[in-house]
Structures are given as C-alpha cells and as structure tokens.
Amino acid sequence: MKNILVTGGAGFIGSNFIHFLLKTELKVNIINLDAFTYAGTLENLKDLPDMDRHTLVKGNICDQDLLADLFQRYAIDTVVHFAAESHVDRSISGPGPFIQTNIAGTYMLLEAARNYWAGAKKLSGVNVRFHHVSTDEVYGSLSPSDAAFTENTPYAPNSPYAATKASSDHLVRSYGHTYNLPFTITNCSNNFGPRQFPEKLIPLIILNALNGRKLPIYGDGLQVRDWLFVEDHCEAILTVLQNGQTGETYNIGGGNQPANLDIVHMICDLLDETCPDSPFVPHRDLIEFVTDRPGHDRRYAMNIEKIRNTLGWQPKHSLQEGLKKTVQWYLSNVEWIAAIRTQQEYQHWLAENYDKRESSI
C-alpha cells in the first residue's frame, strides 16, 4: 500500500480518513479525487498533517479518461472508495444523481482499477486492493425484536439511496468473483463527528440549537440507529486495508442503539452544560416534531463480532465521548461553519428546507 486513490476525499468521512491516515507512520501517497458537489469543500482539507503526500484532483468518478490517467500517472495500488451521494432525503426527492454517482460511478472506478492492474508491469508483485465503503442501510429495517445486522443479513434496501449502495456493493463483489479483482467491503452505521455537512442530524441539531432555531424531529423520534464516531470508522478502514481478507465484508458500528430523540436530548444537555449563558437554555425547549419522511426505516443495529474477532478492531469512543468531541469541534470551528454557510448549494438547500424569513443556521 503505497499510492492510494481516495475518492470523495473532500467530503465528511473521506476528509477525516485522509487526516487520520496522514497522522500515522505509514509513508503513503494520497491522490484525492473529489467532484466538489455540495458536501465536498476545501475547508475539510485545511491543516493536513503532511501536505506533500496529498495530491488533490478535482474531477468526477464517472470520467473514465480521467480515472485511467490517474491510475497510470500515480501508479495506484489501492483504492478507498468513499465518493457517493449519501443523504436519504435527497434520494427521495431526486434519485437520479444517486444512480449516476453510486452505481455508474462505482462501475467506472472498478473498470479503471481492473484495466490498470491487469496490465501494469510496474505493479508486478505488488498487492493491490479495491476497498468499497458502504452502509448498513443496504440491509433494510429491523423490528425491535430482530437480531442486529450481520455480514450474512440479506439485502433489503428501502430508499433510493440504500438501493444504489446495495447495487454498488454487488458490483464490487461481482468484479472480485468474475475478474479476480482484490476487494474488501465495509458496511458502516451512521457516522458523526467533525466536518460533517449540516444537513445531517447531529450537526443540524448542534448548529440549530446554538442559533435558537427549532430542532426538527421526524415522527415520534423513536427511530433507532447505531452511531459511529468518524475517527473510529477511519481506524477500522485502515485495519481492514492492512489485515482484512480480500473478498470479505466487514460490518463497522459504534456498539450503541439510541433513539434519534435520545441523541437530540444528549446534544441539548451537552450544550446546556457547555454554553450555560446561552439565551436558549434549556435547549430541549427547541425540539419540534415534524411529519415523518416516506419509508423511514425504524431500526438499524450492527453486529461487529466479525471485525472484532478476526481483526481486533472495536470502537474506542463511547457515544457520549464522541458527541462531546463533536459539539466541542463545532464550537471551536466557527470559520468552517461560516464557509459552509456561504456555499451556494447549501443556501439552496436552506431555502428548500426552512422558512426564508428565518436566518441561516
């Protein structure tokens, strides 16, 4: 593992992975390919630990010529594929970009890797790997009494987003079986932490609460999720890259199952403690229940015994610890928040989701 192509490396998880990887003792070169759609920003790549080992390329994973050039020019031996449209609500209102990026884009990337690795003399004897980052949503929804998802749980995606990620998982697996492409897949639970775009639940709640805006909760707020601190996720991916068996899938989760309403309560209480002079204390008073979204999965839960038992990985952060770090990061990074607010796409998103008479988050 020497020259790593990271797709979507200016987004939330991808940028955190790059920061994490450059802090390790591994002497790897990172080629970061990002299309800079609404959730990708240069702000996420500021203050990288070792800029000399990071090359940023603006481009789309659907550009076959660009991909071929990158593999050839940088002698790519490892792919870590984060690039994806990832927000369920957006997939419901407009599934087209999800099909294009998540399915067609993954196909283009697989083709580029297969073609280059099959004919690259300079990589003779080098172990190559295509690592695909996926989601627990491919498994569908659980009832309160169901056992947690395992790597053998049948796929049953319920949203256009989940369906496109399931499709890309199957594509990756098929390339391994048909073309002997060395691959691994990780299916992760809900990530949270620094640099997450403010449309996601946890940063949305933090930033709305700080500004006295309503805290919207879908339905009764009792939907259950497994929450994974992003730094733990990055460590898990690196563990799989270094020690995971090719052709294997690994579930990654945080080992918790709170209801969404519980998450919001925890954030409000952390803000009450951290910002006691805020005029919006107690922040729980800002909670507002709104109409549930169509087809909202009721419960996700991840069984992580496989990665724990075979690779020795388990999350280091408890939910409370991760939330405390996350709240502190947003409180300490007002410049990042200001930069995100000015992005045109984000302003468009705000206009669609909030009363225009209200101020930004």
Side-chain angles (χ1 to χ4, degrees):
M1 186 169 63
K2 182 179 180 181
N3 300 314
I4 305 176
L5 176 63
V6 176
T7 69
F12 165 47
I13 306 176
S15 65
N16 275 281
F17 179 73
I18 291 173
H19 279 267
F20 178 84
L21 193 57
L22 290 176
K23 289 177 184 177
T24 69
E25 296 181 355
L26 296 173
K27 297 305 179 184
V28 296
N29 301 308
I30 297 173
I31 295 82
N32 176 4
L33 176 62
D34 199 290
F36 287 95
T37 56
Y38 73 96
T41 173
L42 289 172
E43 296 298 316
N44 288 343
L45 300 172
K46 287 186 174 180
D47 303 319
L48 287 176
D50 189 346
M51 289 292 293
D52 291 339
R53 293 191 287 123
H54 174 259
T55 301
L56 179 62
V57 180
K58 182 177 181 180
N60 196 299
I61 58 171
C62 293
D63 186 337
Q64 194 71 45
D65 292 338
L66 173 62
L67 292 176
D69 177 67
L70 292 178
F71 273 84
Q72 180 69 40
R73 189 190 321 170
Y74 296 105
I76 300 298
D77 57 57
T78 304
V79 174
V80 183
H81 181 30
F82 294 102
E85 294 285 346
S86 65
H87 198 266
V88 175
D89 286 357
R90 285 178 178 258
S91 81
I92 293 170
S93 61
F98 290 75
I99 293 169
Q100 182 65 20
T101 298
N102 299 358
I103 302 177
T106 300
Y107 157 70
M108 296 288 190
L109 194 59
L110 285 165
E111 278 289 279
R114 177 173 76 94
N115 291 333
Y116 178 67
W117 290 340
K121 294 181 180 179
K122 66 176 67 177
L123 289 181
S124 178
V126 175
N127 291 325
V128 296
R129 175 77 65 85
F130 188 107
H131 182 74
H132 180 56
V133 181
S134 190
T135 171
D136 57 358
E137 295 194 37
V138 300
Y139 299 127
S141 183
L142 294 169
S143 70
S145 60
D146 288 337
F149 298 133
T150 71
E151 290 81 359
N152 295 320
T153 299
Y155 278 27
N158 289 324
S159 69
Y161 161 66
T164 60
K165 290 300 289 184
S167 298
S168 62
D169 289 6
H170 291 320
L171 274 174
V172 173
R173 189 173 291 108
S174 75
Y175 268 64
H177 179 78
T178 305
Y179 305 113
N180 294 317
L181 184 83
F183 77 91
T184 43
I185 298 173
T186 48
N187 294 86
C188 68
S189 60
N190 285 39
N191 278 228
F192 71 100
R195 306 181 187 90
Q196 189 170 29
F197 192 73
E199 70 181 357
K200 301 288 187 172
L201 175 65
I202 287 176
L204 177 68
I205 295 303
I206 294 171
L207 298 177
N208 275 17
L210 289 173
N211 288 275
R213 298 180 63 91
K214 294 296 183 182
L215 310 181
I217 307 296
Y218 279 136
D220 59 9
L222 300 183
Q223 305 87 356
V224 171
R225 298 292 183 264
D226 181 301
W227 291 93
L228 174 64
F229 189 59
V230 67
E231 185 176 301
D232 289 334
H233 186 194
C234 294
E235 183 181 56
I237 291 172
L238 181 56
T239 299
V240 171
L241 285 172
Q242 292 180 310
N243 301 311
Q245 290 293 115
T246 58
E248 291 293 322
T249 295
Y250 299 90
N251 281 353
I252 304 173
N256 54 67
Q257 292 185 55
N260 286 347
L261 185 58
D262 293 333
I263 288 288
V264 176
H265 284 163
M266 293 173 72
I267 294 170
C268 288
D269 294 346
L270 281 168
L271 289 173
D272 289 350
E273 176 185 337
T274 308
C275 309
D277 296 328
S278 167
F280 310 116
V281 172
H283 291 90
R284 288 192 186 199
D285 288 349
L286 297 170
I287 291 173
E288 178 181 64
F289 293 92
V290 299
T291 303
D292 208 352
R293 72 180 178 211
H296 201 173
D297 288 342
R298 194 63 176 172
R299 173 175 169 252
Y300 304 145
M302 293 291 268
N303 181 317
I304 61 171
E305 289 183 7
K306 180 177 178 178
I307 192 171
R308 178 188 288 128
N309 293 338
T310 62
L311 302 183
W313 176 89
Q314 63 182 12
K316 292 181 177 178
H317 294 81
S318 68
L319 179 59
Q320 184 72 22
E321 290 168 340
L323 283 175
K324 188 171 184 179
K325 281 190 174 183
T326 302
V327 167
Q328 189 57 56
W329 189 88
Y330 282 96
L331 289 173
S332 302
N333 286 271
V334 293
E335 292 182 359
W336 183 91
I337 296 169
I340 296 299
R341 281 174 170 166
T342 63
Q343 291 186 18
Q344 185 176 4
E345 277 283 341
Y346 181 50
Q347 292 296 335
H348 177 67
W349 176 81
L350 272 179
E352 288 184 339
N353 287 273
Y354 290 108
D355 189 321
K356 293 180 181 179
R357 293 171 297 176
E358 299 182 3
S359 61
S360 299
I361 64 168

